[in-house]
Amino acid sequence: MIGLISATAAGAAARDRLAAAWPDRTRVYDGPVGDAVRRAFAECEQLVCFLATGAVVRLIAPLLGDKASDPGVVCVDEGGRFAVSLVGGHGGGANELAREVGELLGAEPVVTTATDAVGVAGLDTLGLPVEGAVAAVSRALLDGEAVALHNESGWPLPPLPVAPEGTYSIRVTDRLVELSEQEVVLRPPTLVVGVGASKGAPAEEVWELIEGSLREAGLSPRSVAALATVDAKAEEPGIVGAAERLGVPLVTYSAEELAAVEVPNPSEAPLAAVGTPSVAEASALARGGELLVPKRKSVRADGAPAMATCAVVRRPARGRLAVVGLGPGARDLLTPRAKAELQRASVLVGLDQYVDQIRDLLRPGTRVLESGLGAEEERARTAVEEARRGQAVALIGSGDAGVYAMASPALAEASDDIDVIGVPGVTAALAAAAILGAPLGHDHVSVSLSDLHTPWEVIERRVRAAAEADIVVTFYNPRSRGRDWQLPKALAILAEHRDPATPVGVVRNASRPDESARLTTLAALDPATVDMMTVVTVGNTATRDIAGRMVTPRGYRWQEGAQ
Protein backbone atom coordinates (compact mmCIF):
# COMPACT_ATOMS: atom_id res chain seq x y z
CA MET A 1 0.00 0.00 0.00
CA ILE A 2 1.16 3.56 -0.79
CA GLY A 3 0.43 6.18 1.85
CA LEU A 4 -0.44 9.67 0.58
CA ILE A 5 0.19 12.74 2.76
CA SER A 6 -0.33 16.42 2.00
CA ALA A 7 -0.46 19.68 3.97
CA THR A 8 -1.99 22.28 1.64
CA ALA A 9 -4.87 22.57 -0.82
CA ALA A 10 -2.46 22.42 -3.79
CA GLY A 11 -0.83 19.30 -2.41
CA ALA A 12 -4.21 17.75 -1.67
CA ALA A 13 -5.32 18.30 -5.27
CA ALA A 14 -2.30 16.38 -6.63
CA ARG A 15 -2.73 13.78 -3.89
CA ASP A 16 -6.34 13.22 -4.88
CA ARG A 17 -5.37 12.78 -8.54
CA LEU A 18 -3.02 10.00 -7.50
CA ALA A 19 -5.62 8.42 -5.23
CA ALA A 20 -8.21 8.47 -8.01
CA ALA A 21 -5.80 6.89 -10.49
CA TRP A 22 -4.62 4.18 -8.07
CA PRO A 23 -7.62 3.44 -5.83
CA ASP A 24 -6.43 -0.07 -4.96
CA ARG A 25 -2.81 0.93 -4.33
CA THR A 26 -3.15 4.04 -2.20
CA ARG A 27 -4.48 5.22 1.14
CA VAL A 28 -4.90 8.89 2.08
CA TYR A 29 -3.68 9.89 5.55
CA ASP A 30 -5.40 12.97 6.94
CA GLY A 31 -4.85 14.91 10.15
CA PRO A 32 -1.71 16.65 11.44
CA VAL A 33 1.15 16.01 9.00
CA GLY A 34 3.54 14.61 11.59
CA ASP A 35 1.00 12.08 12.83
CA ALA A 36 0.03 11.17 9.27
CA VAL A 37 3.65 10.50 8.25
CA ARG A 38 4.27 8.37 11.34
CA ARG A 39 1.15 6.27 10.75
CA ALA A 40 1.85 5.81 7.05
CA PHE A 41 5.50 4.95 7.68
CA ALA A 42 4.43 2.15 10.03
CA GLU A 43 1.59 0.81 7.90
CA CYS A 44 2.64 1.20 4.25
CA GLU A 45 5.30 -0.18 1.92
CA GLN A 46 5.73 3.23 0.27
CA LEU A 47 4.87 6.89 0.89
CA VAL A 48 4.24 9.82 -1.42
CA CYS A 49 4.49 13.10 0.48
CA PHE A 50 3.26 16.28 -1.19
CA LEU A 51 5.61 18.35 0.95
CA ALA A 52 9.01 20.01 0.78
CA THR A 53 11.87 17.51 0.93
CA GLY A 54 13.34 19.26 3.95
CA ALA A 55 10.13 18.86 5.89
CA VAL A 56 9.89 15.18 5.00
CA VAL A 57 13.53 14.59 5.98
CA ARG A 58 12.88 16.03 9.44
CA LEU A 59 9.67 14.02 9.85
CA ILE A 60 11.02 10.61 8.82
CA ALA A 61 14.55 10.90 10.31
CA PRO A 62 13.54 9.49 13.71
CA LEU A 63 11.62 6.68 11.99
CA LEU A 64 14.40 5.30 9.80
CA GLY A 65 15.63 1.87 10.79
CA ASP A 66 17.10 -0.32 8.05
CA LYS A 67 17.23 0.24 4.30
CA ALA A 68 16.06 -3.32 3.73
CA SER A 69 12.81 -2.77 5.63
CA ASP A 70 12.12 0.99 5.53
CA PRO A 71 9.37 2.04 3.10
CA GLY A 72 10.30 3.90 -0.05
CA VAL A 73 9.54 7.61 0.19
CA VAL A 74 8.84 9.98 -2.68
CA CYS A 75 8.41 13.76 -2.31
CA VAL A 76 6.34 15.80 -4.75
CA ASP A 77 6.55 19.59 -4.58
CA GLU A 78 3.25 21.40 -4.29
CA GLY A 79 3.63 22.78 -7.80
CA GLY A 80 3.73 19.21 -9.11
CA ARG A 81 6.97 19.82 -11.02
CA PHE A 82 9.22 17.17 -9.48
CA ALA A 83 8.83 13.69 -7.97
CA VAL A 84 11.92 13.10 -5.82
CA SER A 85 13.02 9.63 -4.77
CA LEU A 86 14.09 10.44 -1.20
CA VAL A 87 14.52 7.16 0.70
CA GLY A 88 14.53 3.49 -0.33
CA GLY A 89 15.39 4.05 -3.96
CA HIS A 90 16.01 0.39 -4.69
CA GLY A 91 14.94 -1.66 -1.69
CA GLY A 92 11.79 0.38 -1.11
CA GLY A 93 11.02 0.87 -4.79
CA ALA A 94 11.10 4.67 -4.52
CA ASN A 95 13.01 5.15 -7.77
CA GLU A 96 10.42 3.34 -9.82
CA LEU A 97 7.60 4.95 -7.84
CA ALA A 98 9.03 8.40 -8.59
CA ARG A 99 8.94 7.56 -12.29
CA GLU A 100 5.37 6.28 -12.08
CA VAL A 101 4.20 9.33 -10.12
CA GLY A 102 6.02 11.61 -12.53
CA GLU A 103 4.34 10.01 -15.52
CA LEU A 104 0.90 10.27 -13.96
CA LEU A 105 1.20 13.85 -12.68
CA GLY A 106 3.40 15.24 -15.44
CA ALA A 107 6.27 15.77 -12.99
CA GLU A 108 9.97 15.25 -13.61
CA PRO A 109 11.24 12.20 -11.69
CA VAL A 110 14.40 12.97 -9.73
CA VAL A 111 16.52 9.90 -9.00
CA THR A 112 19.93 10.40 -7.44
CA THR A 113 20.85 6.78 -6.68
CA ALA A 114 24.38 6.45 -8.03
CA THR A 115 23.84 3.32 -10.11
CA ASP A 116 20.74 4.77 -11.75
CA ALA A 117 22.52 8.05 -12.45
CA VAL A 118 25.30 6.38 -14.48
CA GLY A 119 23.20 3.56 -15.97
CA VAL A 120 24.81 0.68 -14.08
CA ALA A 121 22.38 -2.04 -13.04
CA GLY A 122 21.85 -1.91 -9.28
CA LEU A 123 22.68 -5.22 -7.62
CA ASP A 124 19.39 -5.07 -5.75
CA THR A 125 17.38 -4.43 -8.92
CA LEU A 126 18.28 -7.57 -10.87
CA GLY A 127 15.21 -9.51 -9.79
CA LEU A 128 17.27 -11.94 -7.69
CA PRO A 129 17.53 -12.13 -3.89
CA VAL A 130 20.78 -10.46 -2.88
CA GLU A 131 22.95 -10.93 0.20
CA GLY A 132 26.20 -9.46 1.45
CA ALA A 133 28.05 -6.20 0.97
CA VAL A 134 25.72 -4.62 -1.57
CA ALA A 135 26.79 -1.03 -0.81
CA ALA A 136 30.53 -1.79 -0.85
CA VAL A 137 30.45 -3.80 -4.09
CA SER A 138 28.16 -1.26 -5.78
CA ARG A 139 30.55 1.51 -4.82
CA ALA A 140 33.45 -0.50 -6.25
CA LEU A 141 31.56 -0.91 -9.53
CA LEU A 142 30.89 2.82 -9.67
CA ASP A 143 34.50 3.69 -8.84
CA GLY A 144 35.80 1.48 -11.62
CA GLU A 145 37.52 -0.95 -9.27
CA ALA A 146 37.98 -4.54 -10.38
CA VAL A 147 34.92 -6.58 -9.39
CA ALA A 148 34.99 -10.27 -10.27
CA LEU A 149 31.89 -12.14 -11.37
CA HIS A 150 31.57 -15.81 -10.44
CA ASN A 151 28.37 -16.97 -12.12
CA GLU A 152 28.26 -20.56 -10.92
CA SER A 153 24.75 -21.13 -12.22
CA GLY A 154 25.19 -19.42 -15.59
CA TRP A 155 22.14 -17.30 -14.84
CA PRO A 156 21.52 -14.62 -17.51
CA LEU A 157 22.36 -11.15 -16.16
CA PRO A 158 22.27 -7.61 -17.55
CA PRO A 159 25.62 -6.04 -18.41
CA LEU A 160 27.82 -5.38 -15.37
CA PRO A 161 31.28 -3.74 -15.42
CA VAL A 162 33.05 -6.81 -14.06
CA ALA A 163 36.49 -8.37 -14.48
CA PRO A 164 37.88 -11.92 -14.33
CA GLU A 165 39.61 -11.15 -11.02
CA GLY A 166 39.15 -8.49 -8.38
CA THR A 167 39.27 -7.54 -4.73
CA TYR A 168 35.49 -7.34 -4.74
CA SER A 169 33.28 -10.05 -6.15
CA ILE A 170 29.75 -10.96 -7.17
CA ARG A 171 28.79 -14.61 -6.86
CA VAL A 172 25.69 -16.11 -8.47
CA THR A 173 24.95 -19.37 -6.71
CA ASP A 174 22.25 -21.40 -5.02
CA ARG A 175 24.75 -22.83 -2.52
CA LEU A 176 25.19 -21.66 1.06
CA VAL A 177 28.55 -19.88 1.19
CA GLU A 178 30.59 -17.87 3.66
CA LEU A 179 30.63 -14.24 2.57
CA SER A 180 33.51 -11.84 2.93
CA GLU A 181 33.06 -8.13 3.61
CA GLN A 182 33.73 -7.45 -0.07
CA GLU A 183 31.35 -9.94 -1.65
CA VAL A 184 27.76 -10.08 -2.81
CA VAL A 185 25.76 -13.22 -3.50
CA LEU A 186 22.86 -13.29 -5.94
CA ARG A 187 20.42 -16.17 -5.53
CA PRO A 188 19.14 -17.54 -8.86
CA PRO A 189 15.81 -19.44 -8.81
CA THR A 190 17.32 -22.79 -9.79
CA LEU A 191 15.93 -25.19 -7.19
CA VAL A 192 12.67 -27.14 -7.26
CA VAL A 193 11.52 -29.00 -4.18
CA GLY A 194 9.22 -31.94 -4.76
CA VAL A 195 6.94 -32.71 -1.80
CA GLY A 196 4.67 -35.58 -0.87
CA ALA A 197 2.53 -35.68 2.25
CA SER A 198 -0.05 -37.82 3.94
CA LYS A 199 -3.47 -36.31 4.47
CA GLY A 200 -3.35 -33.90 7.39
CA ALA A 201 0.44 -33.74 7.57
CA PRO A 202 1.32 -30.91 10.00
CA ALA A 203 2.61 -27.77 8.30
CA GLU A 204 5.55 -27.61 10.68
CA GLU A 205 6.57 -31.17 9.83
CA VAL A 206 6.55 -30.39 6.10
CA TRP A 207 8.46 -27.16 6.62
CA GLU A 208 11.11 -28.68 8.88
CA LEU A 209 11.72 -31.44 6.35
CA ILE A 210 12.19 -28.97 3.49
CA GLU A 211 14.32 -26.53 5.47
CA GLY A 212 16.49 -29.28 6.94
CA SER A 213 17.00 -30.99 3.57
CA LEU A 214 18.15 -27.75 1.97
CA ARG A 215 20.44 -26.85 4.87
CA GLU A 216 22.10 -30.26 5.02
CA ALA A 217 22.67 -30.18 1.25
CA GLY A 218 24.25 -26.73 1.54
CA LEU A 219 21.52 -25.06 -0.52
CA SER A 220 19.86 -21.69 0.00
CA PRO A 221 16.06 -21.59 0.42
CA ARG A 222 16.17 -18.23 -1.38
CA SER A 223 17.01 -20.11 -4.59
CA VAL A 224 13.89 -22.26 -4.45
CA ALA A 225 11.79 -21.40 -7.50
CA ALA A 226 8.81 -23.65 -6.78
CA LEU A 227 7.37 -26.46 -4.72
CA ALA A 228 5.94 -29.33 -6.75
CA THR A 229 3.58 -32.17 -5.94
CA VAL A 230 0.84 -34.36 -7.38
CA ASP A 231 -2.42 -32.60 -8.16
CA ALA A 232 -4.26 -34.73 -5.58
CA LYS A 233 -2.24 -32.85 -2.93
CA ALA A 234 -2.79 -29.39 -4.40
CA GLU A 235 -4.80 -28.25 -1.38
CA GLU A 236 -2.97 -30.16 1.34
CA PRO A 237 -2.54 -27.49 4.07
CA GLY A 238 0.99 -28.52 5.05
CA ILE A 239 2.25 -28.30 1.46
CA VAL A 240 0.37 -25.09 0.69
CA GLY A 241 1.69 -23.54 3.90
CA ALA A 242 5.29 -24.48 3.04
CA ALA A 243 4.98 -22.83 -0.38
CA GLU A 244 3.58 -19.70 1.21
CA ARG A 245 6.37 -19.66 3.78
CA LEU A 246 8.98 -19.88 1.02
CA GLY A 247 7.09 -17.34 -1.06
CA VAL A 248 7.05 -19.57 -4.16
CA PRO A 249 4.32 -21.06 -6.35
CA LEU A 250 3.01 -24.58 -5.83
CA VAL A 251 3.18 -26.50 -9.12
CA THR A 252 1.15 -29.69 -9.51
CA TYR A 253 1.17 -32.61 -11.95
CA SER A 254 -1.25 -35.42 -12.63
CA ALA A 255 -0.48 -38.89 -11.36
CA GLU A 256 -0.12 -40.05 -14.99
CA GLU A 257 2.52 -37.40 -15.69
CA LEU A 258 4.50 -38.31 -12.57
CA ALA A 259 4.26 -42.04 -13.24
CA ALA A 260 6.08 -41.44 -16.53
CA VAL A 261 9.06 -39.79 -14.79
CA GLU A 262 12.00 -42.13 -14.11
CA VAL A 263 13.11 -41.89 -10.47
CA PRO A 264 15.73 -43.70 -8.36
CA ASN A 265 13.43 -44.46 -5.42
CA PRO A 266 9.94 -45.56 -6.45
CA SER A 267 7.57 -46.81 -3.78
CA GLU A 268 4.38 -48.81 -3.50
CA ALA A 269 2.84 -46.46 -0.91
CA PRO A 270 2.24 -43.42 -3.19
CA LEU A 271 1.22 -45.76 -6.01
CA ALA A 272 -1.58 -47.12 -3.87
CA ALA A 273 -2.51 -43.70 -2.46
CA VAL A 274 -2.45 -41.39 -5.51
CA GLY A 275 -1.63 -43.56 -8.51
CA THR A 276 2.09 -42.90 -9.04
CA PRO A 277 5.14 -44.70 -7.60
CA SER A 278 6.78 -41.37 -6.80
CA VAL A 279 5.57 -37.94 -5.77
CA ALA A 280 8.53 -36.06 -4.28
CA GLU A 281 11.23 -37.14 -6.73
CA ALA A 282 8.98 -37.31 -9.77
CA SER A 283 7.42 -33.87 -9.26
CA ALA A 284 10.84 -32.31 -8.66
CA LEU A 285 12.20 -33.98 -11.83
CA ALA A 286 9.09 -33.46 -13.97
CA ARG A 287 10.74 -30.68 -15.99
CA GLY A 288 14.22 -32.17 -15.89
CA GLY A 289 17.30 -31.23 -13.91
CA GLU A 290 19.84 -32.75 -11.55
CA LEU A 291 18.63 -34.60 -8.46
CA LEU A 292 20.62 -33.06 -5.60
CA VAL A 293 18.63 -34.50 -2.69
CA PRO A 294 16.97 -37.90 -3.25
CA LYS A 295 13.72 -38.63 -1.48
CA ARG A 296 13.89 -37.97 2.25
CA LYS A 297 11.29 -38.67 4.89
CA SER A 298 10.38 -36.44 7.78
CA VAL A 299 11.26 -37.50 11.30
CA ARG A 300 8.65 -37.23 14.04
CA ALA A 301 9.64 -36.69 17.66
CA ASP A 302 7.18 -39.29 18.90
CA GLY A 303 8.60 -41.96 16.60
CA ALA A 304 5.38 -42.19 14.60
CA PRO A 305 5.55 -42.91 10.86
CA ALA A 306 6.68 -40.02 8.66
CA MET A 307 3.92 -37.97 7.07
CA ALA A 308 6.01 -36.03 4.52
CA THR A 309 8.70 -36.65 1.89
CA CYS A 310 10.74 -34.25 -0.20
CA ALA A 311 13.41 -34.20 -2.91
CA VAL A 312 15.43 -31.32 -4.37
CA VAL A 313 16.37 -30.80 -8.01
CA ARG A 314 18.56 -28.15 -9.59
CA ARG A 315 17.35 -27.04 -12.98
CA PRO A 316 20.00 -25.70 -15.34
CA ALA A 317 19.99 -21.98 -16.02
CA ARG A 318 18.29 -21.05 -19.25
CA GLY A 319 19.17 -18.27 -21.60
CA ARG A 320 16.58 -15.54 -22.04
CA LEU A 321 15.33 -14.12 -25.33
CA ALA A 322 13.05 -11.09 -25.20
CA VAL A 323 11.48 -10.23 -28.56
CA VAL A 324 10.78 -6.52 -28.19
CA GLY A 325 8.49 -4.32 -30.26
CA LEU A 326 9.77 -0.74 -30.38
CA GLY A 327 6.55 0.81 -31.65
CA PRO A 328 6.24 2.96 -34.77
CA GLY A 329 9.17 5.26 -33.95
CA ALA A 330 8.15 7.93 -31.44
CA ARG A 331 9.92 7.54 -28.12
CA ASP A 332 6.74 8.12 -26.12
CA LEU A 333 5.12 5.16 -27.89
CA LEU A 334 7.86 2.83 -26.65
CA THR A 335 6.27 0.92 -23.77
CA PRO A 336 7.73 0.86 -20.25
CA ARG A 337 8.01 -2.92 -20.52
CA ALA A 338 10.07 -2.58 -23.69
CA LYS A 339 12.40 -0.11 -21.96
CA ALA A 340 12.84 -2.49 -19.04
CA GLU A 341 13.75 -5.37 -21.36
CA LEU A 342 16.26 -3.23 -23.25
CA GLN A 343 17.99 -2.41 -19.96
CA ARG A 344 17.86 -6.00 -18.79
CA ALA A 345 19.60 -7.35 -21.91
CA SER A 346 23.32 -8.07 -22.00
CA VAL A 347 23.10 -8.61 -25.78
CA LEU A 348 20.99 -6.58 -28.22
CA VAL A 349 20.29 -7.87 -31.74
CA GLY A 350 18.58 -5.72 -34.34
CA LEU A 351 18.43 -3.84 -37.59
CA ASP A 352 20.96 -1.00 -37.49
CA GLN A 353 18.39 1.78 -37.98
CA TYR A 354 16.26 0.42 -35.13
CA VAL A 355 19.29 0.09 -32.86
CA ASP A 356 20.00 3.79 -33.46
CA GLN A 357 16.51 4.66 -32.16
CA ILE A 358 17.14 3.18 -28.72
CA ARG A 359 20.91 3.08 -28.33
CA ASP A 360 20.80 5.71 -25.57
CA LEU A 361 18.54 3.46 -23.45
CA LEU A 362 21.04 0.61 -23.27
CA ARG A 363 23.15 0.05 -20.19
CA PRO A 364 26.91 0.55 -20.49
CA GLY A 365 28.51 -2.68 -21.61
CA THR A 366 25.57 -4.01 -23.61
CA ARG A 367 26.94 -5.95 -26.58
CA VAL A 368 25.19 -4.76 -29.75
CA LEU A 369 24.93 -7.04 -32.78
CA GLU A 370 23.42 -4.99 -35.60
CA SER A 371 23.00 -5.65 -39.31
CA GLY A 372 21.35 -4.11 -42.34
CA LEU A 373 18.19 -4.72 -44.31
CA GLY A 374 17.54 -8.19 -45.63
CA ALA A 375 19.23 -10.10 -42.80
CA GLU A 376 16.13 -10.95 -40.75
CA GLU A 377 16.70 -14.71 -40.58
CA GLU A 378 20.37 -14.22 -39.74
CA ARG A 379 19.43 -11.86 -36.88
CA ALA A 380 16.90 -14.37 -35.59
CA ARG A 381 19.48 -17.17 -35.61
CA THR A 382 22.05 -14.94 -33.91
CA ALA A 383 19.63 -13.96 -31.13
CA VAL A 384 18.66 -17.57 -30.43
CA GLU A 385 22.30 -18.71 -30.45
CA GLU A 386 23.26 -16.00 -27.95
CA ALA A 387 20.37 -17.02 -25.68
CA ARG A 388 21.50 -20.64 -25.86
CA ARG A 389 24.89 -19.47 -24.58
CA GLY A 390 23.12 -18.30 -21.44
CA GLN A 391 22.84 -14.62 -22.32
CA ALA A 392 19.96 -12.24 -21.66
CA VAL A 393 19.13 -11.21 -25.22
CA ALA A 394 16.80 -8.55 -26.63
CA LEU A 395 15.82 -8.96 -30.28
CA ILE A 396 14.18 -5.77 -31.49
CA GLY A 397 11.73 -4.98 -34.25
CA SER A 398 9.61 -2.01 -35.19
CA GLY A 399 5.94 -1.77 -34.29
CA ASP A 400 4.99 -5.05 -32.67
CA ALA A 401 7.73 -7.63 -33.09
CA GLY A 402 5.11 -10.27 -33.82
CA VAL A 403 3.56 -8.40 -36.76
CA TYR A 404 5.59 -8.70 -39.98
CA ALA A 405 8.68 -8.57 -37.80
CA MET A 406 11.23 -10.61 -35.87
CA ALA A 407 9.16 -12.77 -33.54
CA SER A 408 8.13 -15.42 -36.07
CA PRO A 409 11.63 -16.14 -37.50
CA ALA A 410 13.08 -16.14 -33.97
CA LEU A 411 10.48 -18.54 -32.59
CA ALA A 412 10.92 -20.75 -35.63
CA GLU A 413 14.60 -21.09 -34.61
CA ALA A 414 14.04 -21.40 -30.86
CA SER A 415 13.38 -24.67 -29.07
CA ASP A 416 12.31 -25.26 -25.48
CA ASP A 417 15.87 -24.91 -24.15
CA ILE A 418 15.57 -21.13 -23.72
CA ASP A 419 13.00 -18.80 -22.19
CA VAL A 420 11.23 -16.57 -24.71
CA ILE A 421 9.39 -13.43 -23.66
CA GLY A 422 7.27 -11.41 -26.07
CA VAL A 423 7.01 -7.67 -25.47
CA PRO A 424 4.18 -6.09 -27.46
CA GLY A 425 4.53 -2.80 -29.26
CA VAL A 426 2.26 -0.29 -30.98
CA THR A 427 1.92 -1.45 -34.59
CA ALA A 428 2.15 0.78 -37.66
CA ALA A 429 -1.50 0.02 -38.42
CA LEU A 430 -2.58 1.24 -34.97
CA ALA A 431 -0.37 4.31 -35.09
CA ALA A 432 -1.69 5.22 -38.54
CA ALA A 433 -5.29 4.57 -37.47
CA ALA A 434 -4.95 6.94 -34.52
CA ILE A 435 -3.72 9.66 -36.88
CA LEU A 436 -6.51 9.08 -39.39
CA GLY A 437 -9.34 8.92 -36.85
CA ALA A 438 -11.06 5.61 -36.17
CA PRO A 439 -10.84 3.53 -39.36
CA LEU A 440 -10.52 0.22 -37.46
CA GLY A 441 -13.76 0.57 -35.51
CA HIS A 442 -15.11 -2.68 -36.97
CA ASP A 443 -13.56 -5.86 -38.34
CA HIS A 444 -10.25 -5.23 -40.04
CA VAL A 445 -7.31 -7.10 -41.51
CA SER A 446 -3.67 -6.33 -42.28
CA VAL A 447 -2.13 -7.61 -45.51
CA SER A 448 1.48 -7.26 -46.63
CA LEU A 449 1.80 -6.66 -50.37
CA SER A 450 5.42 -7.82 -50.41
CA ASP A 451 5.71 -10.98 -52.49
CA LEU A 452 9.33 -11.60 -51.50
CA HIS A 453 8.28 -14.36 -49.10
CA THR A 454 4.64 -14.93 -50.08
CA PRO A 455 3.51 -15.82 -53.63
CA TRP A 456 1.37 -13.13 -55.21
CA GLU A 457 -1.38 -15.66 -55.87
CA VAL A 458 -1.76 -16.14 -52.10
CA ILE A 459 -1.73 -12.40 -51.42
CA GLU A 460 -4.32 -11.78 -54.12
CA ARG A 461 -6.59 -14.48 -52.71
CA ARG A 462 -6.42 -12.87 -49.26
CA VAL A 463 -7.16 -9.37 -50.62
CA ARG A 464 -10.10 -10.72 -52.59
CA ALA A 465 -11.47 -12.47 -49.51
CA ALA A 466 -11.25 -9.24 -47.50
CA ALA A 467 -12.94 -7.34 -50.32
CA GLU A 468 -15.80 -9.82 -50.57
CA ALA A 469 -16.23 -9.87 -46.77
CA ASP A 470 -16.40 -6.04 -46.61
CA ILE A 471 -13.50 -5.83 -44.12
CA VAL A 472 -11.34 -2.73 -43.62
CA VAL A 473 -7.89 -3.46 -45.05
CA THR A 474 -4.54 -2.03 -43.98
CA PHE A 475 -1.75 -2.60 -46.48
CA TYR A 476 1.81 -3.00 -45.20
CA ASN A 477 4.80 -2.85 -47.59
CA PRO A 478 2.51 -1.37 -50.26
CA ARG A 479 5.01 -0.26 -52.91
CA SER A 480 8.75 -0.17 -53.55
CA ARG A 481 10.90 0.67 -56.55
CA GLY A 482 11.01 -2.95 -57.61
CA ARG A 483 7.36 -3.69 -56.72
CA ASP A 484 5.18 -1.00 -58.23
CA TRP A 485 2.25 -3.00 -59.62
CA GLN A 486 0.99 -4.83 -56.53
CA LEU A 487 -0.79 -1.90 -54.90
CA PRO A 488 -2.73 -0.91 -58.04
CA LYS A 489 -3.76 -4.54 -58.47
CA ALA A 490 -4.93 -4.80 -54.84
CA LEU A 491 -6.88 -1.55 -55.09
CA ALA A 492 -8.54 -2.78 -58.28
CA ILE A 493 -9.70 -5.92 -56.48
CA LEU A 494 -11.22 -3.83 -53.68
CA ALA A 495 -12.85 -1.52 -56.23
CA GLU A 496 -14.82 -4.49 -57.57
CA HIS A 497 -16.72 -4.55 -54.27
CA ARG A 498 -16.57 -0.95 -52.96
CA ASP A 499 -17.73 2.44 -54.08
CA PRO A 500 -15.13 4.72 -55.72
CA ALA A 501 -15.76 7.24 -52.92
CA THR A 502 -14.68 4.75 -50.21
CA PRO A 503 -12.33 6.62 -47.83
CA VAL A 504 -8.67 5.66 -47.96
CA GLY A 505 -6.12 6.84 -45.40
CA VAL A 506 -2.46 7.21 -46.33
CA VAL A 507 0.06 7.70 -43.52
CA ARG A 508 3.81 7.92 -44.02
CA ASN A 509 6.30 7.58 -41.13
CA ALA A 510 3.56 7.43 -38.51
CA SER A 511 4.63 9.09 -35.21
CA ARG A 512 8.04 10.15 -36.56
CA PRO A 513 9.21 13.74 -37.03
CA ASP A 514 8.52 13.69 -40.80
CA GLU A 515 5.06 12.14 -40.38
CA SER A 516 2.52 12.94 -43.07
CA ALA A 517 -1.08 11.83 -43.48
CA ARG A 518 -3.88 12.43 -45.92
CA LEU A 519 -7.42 11.21 -46.50
CA THR A 520 -8.41 10.40 -50.05
CA THR A 521 -10.73 7.95 -51.82
CA LEU A 522 -10.38 4.61 -53.52
CA ALA A 523 -10.78 6.24 -56.94
CA ALA A 524 -8.49 9.21 -56.26
CA LEU A 525 -5.52 7.46 -54.62
CA ASP A 526 -2.39 7.67 -56.78
CA PRO A 527 -0.23 4.60 -56.00
CA ALA A 528 2.85 6.49 -57.18
CA THR A 529 2.63 8.65 -54.02
CA VAL A 530 3.06 5.60 -51.79
CA ASP A 531 6.31 3.96 -50.66
CA MET A 532 7.59 1.36 -48.18
CA MET A 533 7.38 3.82 -45.29
CA THR A 534 3.65 4.21 -45.88
CA VAL A 535 0.62 2.44 -44.44
CA VAL A 536 -2.53 2.46 -46.60
CA THR A 537 -5.91 1.82 -44.94
CA VAL A 538 -8.95 1.23 -47.16
CA GLY A 539 -12.35 1.53 -45.51
CA ASN A 540 -15.33 -0.79 -45.86
CA THR A 541 -18.77 0.17 -47.17
CA ALA A 542 -19.67 1.75 -43.82
CA THR A 543 -16.53 3.89 -43.46
CA ARG A 544 -17.10 7.65 -43.72
CA ASP A 545 -15.13 10.89 -43.93
CA ILE A 546 -16.44 12.92 -41.00
CA ALA A 547 -14.88 16.35 -40.47
CA GLY A 548 -11.76 15.19 -42.23
CA ARG A 549 -11.44 12.04 -40.11
CA MET A 550 -11.77 8.46 -41.30
CA VAL A 551 -14.41 6.68 -39.22
CA THR A 552 -15.69 3.11 -39.40
CA PRO A 553 -18.72 2.57 -37.13
CA ARG A 554 -18.86 -0.36 -34.76
CA GLY A 555 -21.94 -1.70 -36.55
CA TYR A 556 -24.01 -1.22 -39.70
CA ARG A 557 -27.11 0.36 -38.10
CA TRP A 558 -25.43 3.75 -38.19
CA GLN A 559 -24.84 3.39 -41.91
CA GLU A 560 -28.47 2.47 -42.52
CA GLY A 561 -29.70 5.42 -40.46
CA ALA A 562 -27.51 7.84 -42.36
CA GLN A 563 -28.93 6.87 -45.76
Side-chain angles (χ1 to χ4, degrees), residues 477-496:
N477 306 313
R479 182 177 179 274
S480 67
R481 292 180 182 177
R483 295 185 300 98
D484 58 0
W485 58 269
Q486 287 90 340
L487 179 59
K489 177 65 175 175
L491 294 174
I493 293 171
L494 291 172
E496 295 174 11

Side-chain angles (χ1 to χ4, degrees), residues 307-323:
M307 297 189 71
T309 60
C310 83
V312 183
V313 163
R314 175 187 287 138
R315 293 181 183 172
R318 294 161 60 91
R320 189 176 193 277
L321 173 61
V323 188

